[in-house]
Amino acid sequence: GWARAVRGLLLDVSGVLYDSGADGGVPIAGSAEAVRRIKASGLKLQLCTNETQATRENFVRKLRALGFDVSVAEVTAPAPAACRLLRERGLRPHLLVHDDLIPEFAEVDKTNPNCVVLGDAAENFTYANLNEAFRLLIGMEKPVLISLGKGRYYKETDGLKLDVGAYMKALEYACDVQAEVVGKPAKTFFESALAELGVPAEQAIMIGDDIVSDVGGAQQCGMRALQVRTGKYRPSDENHPQVKPDAYVNNLAEAVDIILQHL
């Protein structure tokens, strides 16, 4: 029954469409064709990603080079959401993010920082950089830590990599502060993705490889959610104590096959 009455799909990207890597990444078999079939069917499509190593423009350029027919408007990502939040609250960030993401914050005032924004900084996660962020936070009367996601790890072509959530937890612990998460699994992030998709939660399905951020986050918003057995999926996910997907599928192509049969 999970495949019935669907009008739109939210897709995670890394681990569902492709496995990222230093070489630009490798598409997962059948995923580019699956995206084409979704669009041809008339279903609405939005990519819902915690990608914070590139601007949306560069991210889409990379996906197109890998054979995916997607546009910037079809990507919901944490950095633009964080910029909106910073402007609304008059926050001036100290950025600990990937160099390639910095252009997303070009319009934001960064003088005399009164908060820290943390993204998947990869090689920028040095002791010196983390300590600088720690010192800024510990010196604030009311420390504000904004994290562009809370993933524990992700998969690249050469294996699993620590994600931003591990560093977020270190700063939370050191500064006795609770981070505000912008990105999956935050409810507000999924709600903005649904608004961009233009479909109510009960008529949308989220497809992802992360049992907590993708599946759990989407289900908390009233969506159905599938876990693919690609990307960071591990067999132990199927015994998760809290989160139970509406279904497991071997890959995106299989999910799309089933959904299109029920249109």
Side-chain angles (χ1 to χ4, degrees), residues 8-55:
L9 299 178
L10 292 179
L11 304 183
D12 179 33
V13 180
S14 178
V16 175
L17 300 189
Y18 78 110
D19 284 323
S20 58
D23 53 358
V26 178
I28 291 168
S31 56
E33 178 61 22
V35 169
R36 279 194 289 275
R37 292 177 67 208
I38 292 165
K39 292 191 164 191
S41 73
L43 286 171
K44 294 190 172 185
L45 171 71
Q46 192 74 15
L47 305 183
C48 187
T49 178
N50 271 4
E51 168 65 44
T52 59
Q53 286 196 9
T55 63

Side-chain angles (χ1 to χ4, degrees), residues 3 37 254-263:
R37 292 177 67 208
E254 183 180 296
V256 170
D257 279 346
I258 297 167
I259 291 164
L260 295 187
Q261 284 167 19
H262 288 84
L263 284 185

Side-chain angles (χ1 to χ4, degrees), residues 89 91 114-116 136-145 175-177 180:
R89 288 167 50 185
L91 292 170
N114 58 3
C115 72
V116 168
L136 277 164
L137 285 168
I138 205 82
M140 293 173 190
E141 192 179 334
K142 289 186 177 173
V144 177
L145 173 61
C175 302
D176 195 23
V177 62
E180 299 177 42

Side-chain angles (χ1 to χ4, degrees), residues 147 149-152 163-170:
S147 188
K150 60 185 278 190
R152 294 176 299 159
D163 203 353
V164 63
Y167 302 94
M168 178 193 89
K169 287 291 182 187

